């Protein structure tokens, strides 16, 4: 097995691990927190931002 | 801090009127790294197709004329984004100044511009890997799929884990890639090759400067976009800046100055070292120019090319996901995409959703064994950006008309309004005509796609848009309302 083949296998394995981690984490977060809490709100964020500047 | 806020690192339970928001951690250096990082790959490859269309002087004219276009874009974006400090950039501008249908289109332009560019970057990273392996003596074939997928997934993971680390890395690798161009320029000057006696790009017949006359220079305009395409992406990070009013104008304007320098230096060293006929068809012009020197500069420019490509893909993931996220939380897309991660404070679902889209477009040229498809993917990105710039002109006029100077606290006020807007309008029209001459079918296909998407939005999505919540900023009523 050449070095290039090893690198190819390593690339597939690293990609698979990272995708699995992200999908697992996204599912875990979605189950742990209510949807209303996760959905960001531009208007609320902006109010906070202005308060912080003031 | 207002009662409705919460530290996302200490989340409260269900039933509370609290929301996760994106982290406000970025400064001007990160904004510079984001804007210049997306673009600098265009200096390393792509700009030289302007030489094929218009010769060496045609490419220089394109660099400077399109430079004016992007100065206008940067000034206008700096004013509007530093005032509307929310994610979405030009999408948010359109939402506030025009209305939902235009905002939907601009949002879609942004997502396509950055996702297509990311796909092209991933494809090019693999190509560069093949080149480097060949330089090191490897003669076998390389499985491109594995490395395309790895590049996109690794950068998506980085983006998923947090914006501060992502853009800090982007700043560092972009600075190294820019320093490599400056280093090559200094080496060329020191060796005397740039002194004018042996300026290979212009050597030979007098007509080498403009081999196809002024029509060639006009046709070169579309490839002049490569020098600067993506600097407007700084607007996507507004909501994540510690002070958008300071960071966005400072980062964006320093970014466009850096790119104007990089474009001129790149043209100068390449025209000093390579004949225009060779330059016109080169895939990696700066690397090829460095190879004529040999020694450590070859390795430096090879590294610079890879870093610039990585920085571009990284910045594109950041920006495409922010545009998708902003549309999601306004219900222009399912609100599912408007979620922010409670720990990393990133738009995690948007980042994850766009991974398979980018991989699909990146592997398409390999899968169909048609390298020409790569240029089609890139053209989709460029044309989406051009259409978006046309709308920035309208945004700017409406913004100044609805909220005149003095009615709002602005982070930055761009000078000489309306001259930059009018100039931008003319230049965008000129580049669209030049692009139509070369990629007429692609342009019409893309416009048809956006037209069909608009019909879908009006018929099936508009009913979900919270029309009363369009003006999400605590501003005074616009003039005339």
């Amino acid at each position: 097995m050449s070095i290039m083949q090893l690198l190819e296998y390593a690339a597939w394995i690293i990609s698979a691990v990272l995708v699995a981690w992200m999908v697992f984490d996204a599912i875990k977060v979605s189950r742990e927190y209510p949807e209303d809490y996760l959905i960001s709100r531009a208007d609320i964020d902006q109010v906070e931002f202005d308060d912080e500047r003031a | 801090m207002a009662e409705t806020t919460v530290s996302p690192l200490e989340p409260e339970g269900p039933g509370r009127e609290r929301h996760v928001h994106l982290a406000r951690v970025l400064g001007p250096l990160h904004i510079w790294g984001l804007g210049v990082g997306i673009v600098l790959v265009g200096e390393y490859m792509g700009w030289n197709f302007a030489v094929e269309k218009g010769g060496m002087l045609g490419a220089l004219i394109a660099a400077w004329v399109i430079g004016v276009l992007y100065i206008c874009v940067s000034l206008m974006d700096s004013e509007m984004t530093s005032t509307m400090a929310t994610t979405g950039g030009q999408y948010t501008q359109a939402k506030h100044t025009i209305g939902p249908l235009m905002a939907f289109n601009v949002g879609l332009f942004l997502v396509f511009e950055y996702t297509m560019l990311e796909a092209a970057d991933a494809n090019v990273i693999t190509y560069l890997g093949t080149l480097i392996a060949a330089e090191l003596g490897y003669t076998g074939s390389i499985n491109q799929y594995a490395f395309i997928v790895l590049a996109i997934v690794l950068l998506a993971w980085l983006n998923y884990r947090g914006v501060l680390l992502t853009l800090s890395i982007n700043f560092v690798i972009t600075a190294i890639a820019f320093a490599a161009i400056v280093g090559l320029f200094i080496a060329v000057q020191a060796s005397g090759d740039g002194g004018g006696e042996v300026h290979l790009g212009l050597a030979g017949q007098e007509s080498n400067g403009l081999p196809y006359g002024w029509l060639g220079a006009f046709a070169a305009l579309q490839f002049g976009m490569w020098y600067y395409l993506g600097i407007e992406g700084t607007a996507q990070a507004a909501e994540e800046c510690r002070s958008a009013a300071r960071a966005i104008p400072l980062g964006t304007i320093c970014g466009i100055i850096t790119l104007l320098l990089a474009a001129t230096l790149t043209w100068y060293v390449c025209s000093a070292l390579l004949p225009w006929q060779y330059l016109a068809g080169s895939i990696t012009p700066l690397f090829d120019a460095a190879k004529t020197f040999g020694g450590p500069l070859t390795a430096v420019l090879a590294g610079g090319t890879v870093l610039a490509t990585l920085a571009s893909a990284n910045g594109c993931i950041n920006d495409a996901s922010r545009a998708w996220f902003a549309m999601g939380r306004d219900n222009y897309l399912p609100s599912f995409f408007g979620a922010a991660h409670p720990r990393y404070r990133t738009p995690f679902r948007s980042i994850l959703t766009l991974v398979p889209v980018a991989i699909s477009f990146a592997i398409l040229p390999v899968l169909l064994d048609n390298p020409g498809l790569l240029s089609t993917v890139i053209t989709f990105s460029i044309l989406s950006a051009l259409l978006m710039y046309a709308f920035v002109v309208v945004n700017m006029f409406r913004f100044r008309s609805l909220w005149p100077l003095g009615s709002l606290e602005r982070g930055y006020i761009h000078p000489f309004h309306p001259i930059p807007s009018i100039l931008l309008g003319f230049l965008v029209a000129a580049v669209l005509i030049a692009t139509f001459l070369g990629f007429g079918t692609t342009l019409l296909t893309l416009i048809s796609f956006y037209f069909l998407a608009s019909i879908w939005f009006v018929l099936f999505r508009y009913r979900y848009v919270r029309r009363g919540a369009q003006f999400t900023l605590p501003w005074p009523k616009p003039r005339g309302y």
Side-chain angles (χ1 to χ4, degrees):
Chain A
M1 188 179 284
S2 69
I3 291 178
M4 195 52 73
Q5 274 180 313
L6 278 175
L7 286 175
E8 283 170 17
Y9 286 131
W12 282 123
I13 291 167
I14 294 169
S15 303
V17 168
L18 292 179
V19 166
W21 185 89
M22 284 191 285
V23 170
F24 176 76
D25 184 71
I27 292 171
K28 190 172 138 230
V29 164
S30 302
R31 284 186 174 176
E32 270 181 28
Y33 295 89
E35 195 67 6
D36 279 351
Y37 174 73
L38 292 177
I39 302 298
S40 179
R41 289 272 301 276
D43 45 354
I44 288 176
D45 288 350
Q46 186 65 26
V47 170
E48 288 175 32
F49 178 62
D50 289 344
D51 286 350
E52 283 166 14
R53 285 174 72 190
Chain B
M1 191 172 281
E3 188 59 35
T4 48
T5 64
V6 63
S7 164
L9 298 177
E10 297 168 5
E12 295 292 324
R16 303 293 297 270
E17 283 299 318
R18 293 180 170 185
H19 302 268
V20 186
H21 57 70
L22 301 178
R24 292 198 185 95
V25 289
L26 303 178
L29 290 180
H30 300 106
I31 299 303
W32 181 92
L34 174 64
V36 178
I38 292 176
V39 185
L40 206 61
V41 67
E43 263 73 353
Y44 277 89
M45 56 184 72
W47 69 271
N48 54 307
F49 297 130
V51 177
E52 184 188 11
K53 294 285 181 188
M56 284 314 306
L57 289 183
L60 186 62
I61 291 166
W64 288 348
V65 170
I66 300 300
V68 172
L69 184 154
Y70 277 91
I71 289 171
C72 296
V73 169
S74 301
L75 292 178
M76 287 189 260
D77 268 342
S78 291
E79 176 172 333
M80 287 191 278
T81 310
S82 65
T83 313
M84 303 178 207
T86 54
T87 291
Q90 294 78 8
Y91 153 80
T92 306
Q93 295 165 16
K95 191 179 73 169
H96 282 83
T97 58
I98 307 293
L101 183 58
M102 181 166 155
F104 173 76
N105 271 281
V106 171
L108 222 49
F109 296 157
L110 288 165
V111 173
F112 261 78
E113 177 191 353
Y114 296 118
T115 308
M116 295 296 114
L117 199 54
E118 174 197 344
D121 285 332
N123 193 295
V124 167
I125 289 169
T126 311
Y127 168 77
L128 291 173
T130 312
L131 267 188
I132 291 169
E135 292 277 335
L136 294 174
Y138 180 75
T139 51
S141 64
I142 290 179
N143 182 345
Q144 293 191 49
Y145 296 114
F147 297 106
I148 286 174
V149 171
L150 177 64
I152 291 175
V153 169
L154 190 62
L155 294 174
W157 177 77
L158 191 62
N159 274 271
Y160 189 105
R161 292 294 302 255
V163 72
L164 184 62
L165 178 63
T166 302
L167 293 190
S168 296
I169 290 175
N170 234 44
F171 169 73
V172 172
I173 60 180
T174 302
I176 294 171
F178 178 64
I181 297 176
V182 176
L184 182 60
F185 169 72
I186 292 170
V188 169
Q189 282 298 96
S191 72
D193 284 348
E197 291 174 13
V198 193
H199 217 67
L200 283 175
L202 295 167
Q205 297 174 346
E206 273 185 37
S207 61
N208 277 355
L210 279 173
Y212 307 114
W214 288 104
L215 186 61
F218 182 69
L221 287 181
Q222 59 172 309
F223 292 105
M225 300 271 293
W226 286 72
Y227 289 111
Y228 314 98
L229 181 78
I231 182 67
E232 73 281 3
T234 55
Q236 296 299 328
E239 196 170 312
E240 291 159 282
C241 290
R242 288 189 295 270
S243 167
R246 177 172 178 268
I248 293 291
L250 200 55
T252 308
I253 292 171
C254 287
I256 190 67
I257 292 170
T258 308
L259 292 172
L260 287 164
L261 275 173
T264 308
L265 293 182
T266 300
W267 180 91
Y268 185 82
V269 294
C270 287
S271 70
L273 297 171
L274 300 170
W276 78 273
Q277 295 90 339
Y278 177 83
L279 202 51
S282 172
I283 303 292
T284 51
L286 269 175
F287 177 59
D288 291 347
K291 276 204 289 191
T292 64
F293 262 73
L297 265 180
T298 311
V300 170
L301 267 293
T305 311
V306 174
L307 290 181
T309 315
L310 281 170
S312 179
N314 198 25
C316 285
I317 293 174
N318 181 88
D319 281 0
S321 61
R322 267 60 181 179
W324 196 257
F325 163 82
M327 291 169 80
R329 74 179 174 186
D330 290 337
N331 278 335
Y332 283 64
L333 295 172
S335 61
F336 173 82
F337 297 115
H341 197 289
R343 182 172 177 200
Y344 305 122
R345 300 168 73 179
T346 53
F348 66 116
R349 288 178 185 161
S350 297
I351 292 170
L352 208 47
T353 303
L354 292 174
V355 167
V357 180
I359 289 176
S360 307
F361 281 99
I363 64 170
L364 209 57
V366 184
L367 194 68
L368 301 178
D369 196 22
N370 182 0
L373 274 176
L374 182 63
S375 66
T376 307
V377 169
I378 294 169
T379 306
F380 267 32
S381 172
I382 292 176
L383 288 175
S384 297
L386 262 179
L387 292 172
M388 191 254 291
Y389 302 151
F391 286 126
V392 168
V393 176
V394 185
N395 286 346
M396 191 67 235
F397 274 113
R398 289 278 293 170
F399 183 54
R400 282 285 181 107
S401 158
L402 294 173
W403 291 280
L405 293 184
S407 64
L408 275 180
E409 189 188 343
R410 287 163 156 83
Y412 170 80
I413 298 171
H414 85 266
F416 309 123
H417 178 78
I419 294 172
S421 304
I422 294 168
L423 203 53
L424 177 60
F426 276 114
L427 289 172
V428 166
V431 182
L432 273 172
I433 293 168
T435 310
F436 183 77
L437 296 177
F439 293 90
T441 311
T442 312
L443 179 60
L444 292 177
T445 306
L446 200 68
I447 290 174
S448 305
F449 167 75
Y450 287 125
F451 182 69
L452 290 174
S454 299
I455 291 175
W456 172 83
F457 177 74
V458 170
L459 293 181
F460 302 108
R461 194 67 218 168
Y462 185 58
R463 73 185 78 147
Y464 298 108
V465 173
R466 289 181 297 144
R467 286 183 287 278
Q470 286 304 294
F471 290 88
T472 48
L473 303 176
W475 284 358
K477 278 191 176 178
R479 192 172 64 175
Y481 285 81

